[in-house]
Each structure stands twice: as C-alpha cells, then as structure tokens.
Amino acid sequence: MLRYAASRLIQALIAMFGVLTIVFVVMHLSGDPTLLLVPQGASAEMVAQLRHQLGFDQPIWRQYLDYLGALAQLDFGMSVVQRIPALDIVLSRLPYTFMLAAGALLVALGVGIPVGIVMAVRRGGWLENTLAAIVATGQSVPTFLSGILLILVFAVVLRWLPTSGVGDWRSLIMPSIALGGLAMATFARMTRISILDELGKDYVRAARARGLSLGGTVFRHVLRNAAIPVISIAALEIGNLLAGAVIIETVFAWPGIGQLAIQSIQSRDFLVVQVIVLLISFIYVATSVLADLVYALVDPRIRLAR
Amino acid sequence: MRTRLVTATALALALTMTAAAAQSAKSTLTIDLPGDAATLDPHLQWNTDSYIVYRNIFDNLLTRDADGNIVPQIASAWTYENDTTLLFTIRDDVTFQDGTPLTAEDVAFSINRIIDPELKSPQLSQFDQIEKAEAVSPTEVRVTTKSPYPALLAQLVKLSIVPKAYVEKVGNEAFNLKPMGSGPYALTEWQKGVQTTLKANPDYWRVKPPFETVIFRAVPDVSTRIADLRTGKADLIREVPPDQALTLKDAPDVQVLSVPTERIGYLYINAQAGPTADVRVRQAIAYAIDRQGLVDALLEGYGTPVDILGAPPVFGYTDAIEGYPFDPDKARALLKEAGAEGAELEFLTSPAYNQTLVEAIQQMLNDVGFNTKITMTDQPTFLKRRQGAPEEAGSIAVGAWSCACQDADGIIFPLFRSGSLWAKYSNPEYDALVDEARATLDTDRRLELYRKAYEILNEDVPGIGLYQVHAIYGASAKLKWKPTPNESMFVTDMSWSE
C-alpha cells in the first residue's frame, strides 16, 4: 500500500512539473505583460525600461530557472499586475471556488442519483422517458446559455434570487444549478446503468424471491454495490467542478479561480497563472487519491486485497 | 431630445452642487464595472476599472471641469517661472482621511514617487518628462521638466496626491491594499475580485459626498451587468455595447447615459511594408470606407464620424481638414492606377476589438477590389506584432485610442512619429512638426503645428480616424449624472432624486 502510494505521489509530482513547464513556455512565448500594462502611447524606451524592471527582458531559460529556484523555496512570486503575492491572490479566491463546487456537487448528487434510481427502477415507463429528456437537456445546454436563462427567469422576471455576485446562500443557488447541471446528467446516467447492471444479478433475484419489494431491494442491497462506479465518476467530477467553472463564474460574477485564471491569462499575469495551474493539477491528483481511499472503504474486497 | 435631456441633467446637477444639497435619501450607490481594480495605489496600474475606483479616494493636483478645461484641485494656482519650471501653489485647507494636513511635501513626494524607477510604475511614460519636484514652502511646489513640455498640465490632471508620511510608514505593498488619500471617499473594504466598498469622508473639503456608501462590483459579463441594473442590484453600470443600449432604453426605471469621449476609433495602415507601402493603396482604403455607415449600422449612432485622428475634446483638433469621402469608384481607380487590384491585406485584430466592425471594414475593402484576410490573435500577440517591425505589423488594424490627456501630442505623436512603437510610417517633415509642438508652450503656435501635421497625415494616410467613441452607461432613472469625455466616474458629480 505504502509503495503504491509513493509511486502514485512521484507520478503526480512529475505530471505537475510537466504541466508547469508547458504552461510557462507557452505563456512566455506568446508575449509578456509589459505592453498591456503601459498606457497607450508609451515610448519604446519606456516599454523597454519597464520590461527590464519586471525582468521580462531575460532569456526564457533564465526566467524559468529563476522561477524554479524561487519555487523550491516556496516563493510563488508577485503578481506584476496587482503587485501582491500571487499565492495570496489565488488563496483568496479559493473559498469561493470550493463553495460553488460544493453547491454544484450537492445539486449533481442530490438530483442526479435519485433521478438515476427512478430511471432504473421504472425502466421503459413514461417517467423514465420524461426524466431522460431532462437529463439530456442538462447535458446539452451550454452553461453560458443556462446561466443567462436562469438569471433572466429567476432574477429579472420573478425576482426570487439575486442576479449575480456573492452574498448570502441565495446567491449560490443559480450558479450551483447551472454548474451542477452537466454533472447531474452524468450522475443520473451512471447511476441508472450501474443499478440496471446490478438488478440482473442473482442476489437481487434471491432477495425478490424472499418477498422483498423492488424498492426495498434497491435501497438495502443494490445501492451499495452500484456505488463504486458512481464514486469514481464523482472524483473526476469534483476536479471538473473545481477547475471548470470559468464560464459560470464569469456569467454570475462569481470570484472563483476560474474567472481569475481567464483574467490572469488575458493580462499575462504569469505567476498567478502558474499558481492556479499548480493548484488545479494538485486538486486532480488529490481527488483521484481520495477516490481510491473511498473505494476501499466501500468495497471490502479492495480493502482486503491490499 | 437627447441633448436637451443631457443639458437638463447638467443643469439639475449644477443646481444641486451649488446648493451643496447633494443630500439624498439613498445611502448606498452600487456601480457595476467589468473588472475589479487591479491596484488601488493610484501610482501603479492605469486601467479604467482601477482609476475609476481610486480617483474617488484621492484628490488630484489638477482636474478638468465639465467643459474639459484644466482647473485647480489640490493646486490652487500655477505660474511658469521659465519654460521648464512651474511653481504650483498648494491649498492649505486640505487634510488626508486620517486628519493630517496635506502639504507641498506630499505633492512633491507624489510626483517624485511616480517618476522613481524603483516603483516600476506603468504610468511612468506619462510623467517621464518631469525631472524633479521640490517643496519650496509648505504651500509651494516647484516642478522642473527636462525640456519645455506643453502637455505637462494635461498629464498632471492624472496625478493623485498620496500622503508621504503614511506611505513611508506602511510601505508600498500595504499602501496598495489599504490606500488612504484626501478624496471624498475612504476605503472600507476591498474584497479582491468581488467588490470595493468606500464610505463618505465627512470632512471632505470640496463638497459633501452625495452617498454614504459606494460599492464598486466586478461583473465581467455584460448581460449580467444589465440584469443587475434592471433588478436594482446595481444603480450604474459601465461599458454597455450599442446594441444592448437600444434594448435597455425601453426598459422601465432605467436610463442610458452616453457622452462623446476623447477616444477615437481609427484604422491604422502600414505605410512601410506590404501593398500599403504605396500611398495610392492607402488612399484607396480611405475612400473605400463608409464611416457614416459604420456608425449608423454598427454603433447604433453611438459614435460621431471624424475626418482626422482626433476629436473636439482634444487640444489640436481641427475641423479645417476635409477627409476622404466614401467613394468606392475612386478607390477602385486608385487601386488600378497602383496596379494593386486584388492586393492581399492582412487585417490584424484581437478579441479586444469590435469584431463586427472588423468584418464590416473587410467587406468594404473587398468590395473595391482588395483581398482582405483577418488574422485574429490574443491581445498580447496582437500588440507584439502591431508594435513590432513593419514587415510583421500587418497591413491594417482597427483601434480605439485615448491618451486620457486630451492633447494631440498624446495621440498622433505615439501613433505616427518615426521611431515610436506604433508608427509604421516615417516623414521627416511630419516629425519636425510634432517635435516642435511637443516642445513649445505657445498654444497658438501648437494649434498651427498640429493643423499642418494633420494635413500631412491626410495626404500620406498612415491611418485614418473613423469615429469619435461614445461611452455608454446604463443607470437607474433616479441617478443624476453627466458622464465626462475622459471616461472617469467621480461620485461627487452624481446625485439621486426619488
């Protein structure tokens, strides 16, 4: 187990290092932030002077080595745009990202799993068809559209919810639904398939033969077995929800790291982008490790085999 | 109707201001900006969303009145001691928000701070003609420029006065996070990426701040800003696109405010490389573009066609020059004469520019026989090419230029003076004119020089002015405010009526 964990960790570190290097090179090759920072009309000397002051006139390998050197001492550098430590900027946005991801996960699991169960149990009926249509909608409507539609209906016309920004829990509802919609569809489909798979097995027939109702069988026996594929999907989805909320965060003026990432890329705020990249790759690694642990918890076979 | 409304608003505003009765029942004003302030240290970043916020926290050395004239703010008067030395008299009744008096020391410190290379201020280029500033008495500051510099006052309009003692005590990094000035509003909380909350400074020397609290929110998506306005979550929103302004006009309880700005939409034409190196080809481009059509169809009238790369709020602007009328036949004839029919033009652009405008111009050019190809890159790559070697800089590109100094020196000098980053054009005669205009203090002489310079540009066409940009804001119908050509948002100019 320990050796397995260690090898996973080394793999993860190599992956993170690779991502970091690729992003560094791509970002630096496509221009530096100096031209975006100076007022229109700055002279060539002024631009050159600022570029020198910010250190972007150094050869790229030199900048890269300097960056790695600082990183080794856990110095993530200063944002050239905001003039405060890049790590502080990203960390200040992180709570909002977690909040939104939690809300979206709640929507995705809270709606997706029951819907998936109903669809499996009521296979072929009108209820399954109706739910299937809803799931397909959740999966196919782009988030920028669903976000704007939600705002229009619930904030502008009905005035039930605030339009945008952060505030009390009500401001979290619409972005959570918009972001959770896609994941909800995935969970519903996965749950349905995985329950249908289990329903064909002998232990289900045995339980039904003992006189247990279909609902009782599903809740007492099937769900636990059907959970494993759903958990592995959930781990992937958590990564997606944390890293992939760029559009939703922009539409709802939600100050998470997705919005920050886009803005930092546009303004070539290199060091902030690097911190975000590090963080997101770390989140992916952490969630997949977490999923392994939860597997073991749910399935004694996995636990005992190792 | 529009102008009458604006005049009436201005009149009402003037009345409320003189009565100092900017007393309003509304205590919190919420303004949606497209982005968060990058820095609140007024000597660092210079983007619109940043300076809109920090200019309400700080006073500037000078300011502009509603007509655009440079008028006193912290400096009550100034005299030229000689061509390179200016003596400013500083008000003695201004205090910072912590109660300490603002003196000439603070003014000198502010000027010397922004020109100090150590600060790495991106704004340095606006002030780099200043050699030094020194406080000669508690109420007098002497500013020395490297050479006679006529745009100095226009640049100093943008200089915020920061408290020397406080900045030195807390250091630059802390000052940016917790700025403190002498302006009408003090920072309460800066939730990065979310919003900046300001509260009224009860002791403000100039006027009584009209709202107890002002919140600047960062809302990147324009549809969301409009939804905020329509639901009353925001009272004022910035950067409304023309087509959205049309629909917003019909919404209840909401008004659209707009103002012609000093910003000019223009088309750059590469005079040094590619097919456009031939002046006849450049003139053909100028004849091919229907500026009135662009303004009517794409800007919904929120723009004013111009004949030169300048606009009325800009010093040096002249209406004496007749630009190129829309004449496709003449364009075709010129193209034929130059033997450049079917010439391939590379149209550089980035998402920062209006893409329908780009495509409309492409269509107009192809209609007269060009073969225009659009090259779309991100903004840093665009700037790198546009400001790079002429061979790399494409044939044409659109832009929207403002130096925020309302002076031709800030526009046509950086755009067309040989050797400057943007110039893909070189004409010694033109260079001599703009050089002299940059170094003489005689305003009549400067006007004459700029008129001649604009005449040369009109002949050589290294670029053409397309239209004067109108800034468009959405506001609650109860907000009274007259937007200014320099795109700033001073809350003390606003008021509320139930």
Side-chain angles (χ1 to χ4, degrees):
Chain A
M1 182 74 188
L2 215 61
R3 249 180 73 185
Y4 171 74
S7 79
R8 281 291 300 268
L9 193 70
I10 290 166
Q11 276 173 17
L13 281 177
I14 292 171
M16 281 167 73
F17 182 76
V19 171
L20 200 68
T21 307
I22 291 169
V23 171
F24 189 96
V25 171
V26 170
M27 293 273 297
H28 280 73
L29 284 184
S30 59
D32 67 51
T34 320
L35 294 175
L36 297 171
L37 291 174
V38 294
Q40 275 190 328
S43 64
E45 305 85 71
M46 282 296 129
V47 172
Q49 187 180 333
L50 184 68
R51 180 171 285 136
H52 174 70
Q53 287 165 349
L54 298 175
F56 294 124
D57 57 342
Q58 302 276 346
I60 181 166
W61 60 266
R62 186 69 204 260
Q63 293 184 52
Y64 182 63
L65 289 182
D66 286 351
Y67 175 68
L68 288 185
L71 202 60
Q73 298 162 42
L74 289 182
D75 174 5
F76 292 90
M78 296 279 273
S79 153
V80 292
V81 178
Q82 301 191 27
R83 302 283 176 100
I84 49 178
L87 187 64
D88 291 0
I89 296 175
V90 177
L91 290 182
S92 74
R93 301 294 192 93
L94 208 52
Y96 299 108
T97 291
F98 282 136
M99 234 190 282
L100 180 57
L105 196 66
L106 203 69
V107 169
L109 291 173
V111 178
I113 290 181
V115 165
I117 295 173
V118 172
M119 282 168 74
V121 175
R122 294 290 157 90
R123 190 148 82 114
W126 61 269
L127 193 58
E128 194 206 356
N129 291 335
T130 316
L131 290 175
I134 294 172
V135 167
T137 312
Q139 192 155 26
S140 48
V141 176
T143 47
F144 63 85
L145 181 63
S146 59
I148 289 293
L149 283 178
L150 284 170
I151 293 180
L152 193 66
V153 173
F154 293 102
V156 177
V157 177
L158 297 173
R159 310 236 167 171
W160 290 351
L161 294 169
T163 39
S164 68
V166 287
D168 57 10
W169 58 275
R170 297 189 314 147
S171 59
L172 191 58
I173 295 177
M174 287 195 296
S176 298
I177 293 173
L179 181 61
L182 184 61
M184 180 272 285
T186 314
F187 282 124
R189 281 186 308 111
M190 276 311 296
T191 310
R192 175 179 167 277
I193 292 168
S194 130
I195 289 181
L196 285 177
D197 213 32
E198 292 294 320
L199 283 181
K201 291 191 176 161
D202 287 345
Y203 74 92
V204 174
R205 239 171 302 161
R208 294 299 304 271
R210 285 197 337 251
L212 216 60
S213 70
L214 180 61
T217 318
V218 168
F219 278 102
R220 270 201 224 158
H221 303 290
V222 174
L223 278 189
R224 200 180 163 96
N225 292 319
I228 291 176
V230 177
I231 290 170
S232 67
I233 293 291
L236 279 177
E237 284 296 333
I238 290 173
N240 284 339
L241 292 177
L242 284 170
V246 176
I247 292 166
I248 290 296
E249 289 183 352
T250 305
V251 169
F252 288 97
W254 189 266
I257 53 171
Q259 205 199 106
L260 180 68
I262 279 294
Q263 287 162 353
S264 307
I265 291 169
Q266 280 169 354
S267 61
R268 286 292 184 279
D269 203 346
F270 295 137
L271 294 174
V272 176
V273 177
Q274 304 282 27
V275 174
I276 295 173
V277 165
L278 270 176
L279 188 78
I280 289 176
S281 32
F282 173 77
I283 286 172
Y284 270 101
V285 170
T287 45
S288 68
V289 171
L290 200 72
D292 280 358
L293 292 178
V294 177
Y295 268 167
L297 216 64
V298 175
D299 188 343
R301 285 172 302 179
I302 298 174
R303 195 163 54 215
L304 296 174
R306 290 195 193 139
Chain B
M1 182 60 210
R2 264 230 80 63
T3 38
R4 250 169 55 202
L5 187 71
V6 171
T7 329
T9 319
L11 199 66
L13 188 71
L15 284 174
T16 39
M17 297 298 288
T18 40
Q23 192 80 40
S24 48
K26 189 176 173 68
S27 69
T28 302
L29 182 78
T30 306
I31 301 175
D32 272 11
L33 304 175
D36 187 21
T39 64
L40 288 182
D41 180 337
H43 292 168
L44 294 180
Q45 297 310 337
W46 174 252
N47 56 46
T48 314
D49 289 327
S50 298
Y51 77 65
I52 279 177
V53 179
Y54 62 60
R55 279 179 148 201
N56 284 292
I57 303 176
F58 294 89
D59 280 320
N60 287 7
L61 188 61
L62 308 165
T63 190
R64 285 186 189 268
D65 65 11
D67 299 324
N69 302 310
I70 296 175
V71 293
Q73 193 165 53
I74 289 298
S76 56
W78 52 91
T79 47
Y80 275 94
E81 294 186 329
N82 58 51
D83 276 3
T84 55
T85 328
L86 251 162
L87 189 69
F88 289 93
T89 310
I90 307 302
R91 298 185 69 96
D92 59 3
D93 58 349
V94 180
T95 55
F96 286 110
Q97 286 148 7
D98 66 353
T100 55
L102 185 156
T103 69
E105 284 290 342
D106 298 300
V107 175
F109 173 76
S110 299
I111 296 173
N112 291 326
R113 180 173 187 255
I114 207 163
I115 61 174
D116 180 3
E118 275 296 296
L119 188 69
K120 304 176 191 174
S121 171
Q123 294 181 55
L124 180 60
S125 65
Q126 299 177 337
F127 301 99
D128 68 321
Q129 289 302 310
I130 300 174
E131 194 171 279
K132 62 172 191 235
E134 52 189 338
V136 288
S137 83
T139 56
E140 282 174 310
V141 172
R142 182 174 289 130
V143 176
T144 314
T145 56
K146 292 172 181 165
S147 55
Y149 182 51
L152 179 66
L153 293 176
Q155 299 290 16
L156 287 175
V157 163
K158 294 175 279 184
L159 182 82
S160 296
I161 306 304
V162 301
K164 178 177 190 232
Y166 179 72
V167 175
E168 285 180 341
K169 193 181 102 194
V170 302
N172 286 339
E173 204 178 316
F175 177 65
N176 176 31
L177 295 172
K178 287 200 169 54
M180 193 268 290
S182 61
Y185 285 90
L187 179 72
T188 311
E189 194 194 4
W190 184 13
Q191 258 182 293
K192 292 207 125 265
V194 187
Q195 60 184 40
T196 311
T197 310
L198 309 182
K199 67 166 189 298
N201 170 8
D203 304 321
Y204 188 54
W205 61 280
R206 209 156 46 84
V207 289
K208 181 174 158 37
F211 303 94
E212 188 49 40
T213 308
V214 179
I215 300 173
F216 292 95
R217 302 174 71 235
V219 184
D221 193 89
V222 63
S223 312
T224 316
R225 288 200 295 279
I226 288 175
D228 284 348
L229 177 66
R230 292 183 58 184
T231 55
K233 192 172 174 77
D235 303 306
L236 176 61
I237 62 173
R238 191 173 88 74
E239 226 176 76
V240 179
D243 54 329
Q244 304 264 27
L246 281 192
T247 41
L248 204 55
K249 259 186 179 167
D250 300 327
D253 307 323
V254 167
Q255 57 178 331
V256 174
L257 301 172
S258 73
V259 64
T261 65
E262 61 170 303
R263 191 177 292 275
I264 301 127
Y266 69 97
L267 183 78
Y268 134 83
I269 309 173
N270 190 338
Q272 291 182 315
T276 48
D278 185 330
V279 67
R280 290 168 299 186
V281 174
R282 300 200 296 276
Q283 287 170 342
I285 291 174
Y287 277 120
I289 293 173
D290 178 5
R291 285 163 295 174
Q292 186 67 51
L294 291 177
V295 167
D296 292 343
L298 301 180
L299 305 178
E300 312 287 354
Y302 287 105
T304 313
V306 290
D307 281 325
I308 60 168
L309 224 161
V314 173
F315 179 89
Y317 171 77
T318 169
D319 54 12
I321 288 166
E322 216 173 302
Y324 292 77
F326 174 49
D327 191 340
D329 292 332
K330 216 159 187 173
R332 281 185 205 104
L334 276 166
L335 211 52
K336 194 170 176 190
E337 191 189 315
E341 290 149 305
E344 191 175 309
L345 299 181
E346 188 184 20
F347 199 154
L348 289 189
T349 191
S350 89
Y353 304 101
N354 182 339
Q355 290 314 302
T356 41
L357 181 74
V358 169
E359 282 160 24
I361 291 174
Q362 178 192 34
Q363 190 57 49
M364 287 171 180
L365 294 176
N366 288 351
D367 281 350
V368 300
F370 284 106
N371 174 17
T372 316
K373 295 227 156 63
I374 295 174
T375 304
M376 166 81 112
T377 61
D378 66 347
Q379 182 71 359
T381 313
F382 169 81
L383 288 176
K384 202 171 161 184
R385 286 196 60 187
R386 174 67 182 83
Q387 302 188 350
E391 296 71 30
E392 288 297 308
S395 313
I396 52 175
V398 290
W401 191 278
S402 165
C403 62
C405 64
Q406 298 180 230
D407 194 298
D409 177 64
I411 306 171
I412 58 172
F413 190 99
L415 272 174
F416 303 121
R417 167 71 168 84
S418 7
S420 93
L421 284 172
W422 297 86
K424 303 295 167 258
Y425 167 65
S426 179
N427 180 338
E429 201 189 336
Y430 171 81
D431 291 353
L433 289 168
V434 290
D435 284 351
E436 190 187 337
R438 169 166 273 205
T440 174
L441 299 175
D442 178 349
T443 47
D444 291 338
R445 175 76 184 137
R446 291 190 76 217
L447 282 175
E448 192 194 328
L449 290 165
Y450 282 128
R451 189 180 51 73
K452 284 185 185 157
Y454 274 120
E455 269 167 14
I456 294 179
L457 292 180
N458 199 49
E459 281 300 308
D460 289 351
V461 225
I464 50 172
L466 297 174
Y467 56 90
Q468 180 185 12
V469 176
H470 292 197
I472 312 174
Y473 306 85
S476 156
K478 291 169 187 157
L479 184 81
K480 302 273 178 275
W481 175 52
K482 187 185 173 213
T484 56
N486 58 11
E487 299 168 71
S488 51
M489 286 171 116
F490 291 111
V491 176
T492 48
D493 293 345
M494 303 175 187
S495 67
W496 194 262
S497 68
E498 282 297 334

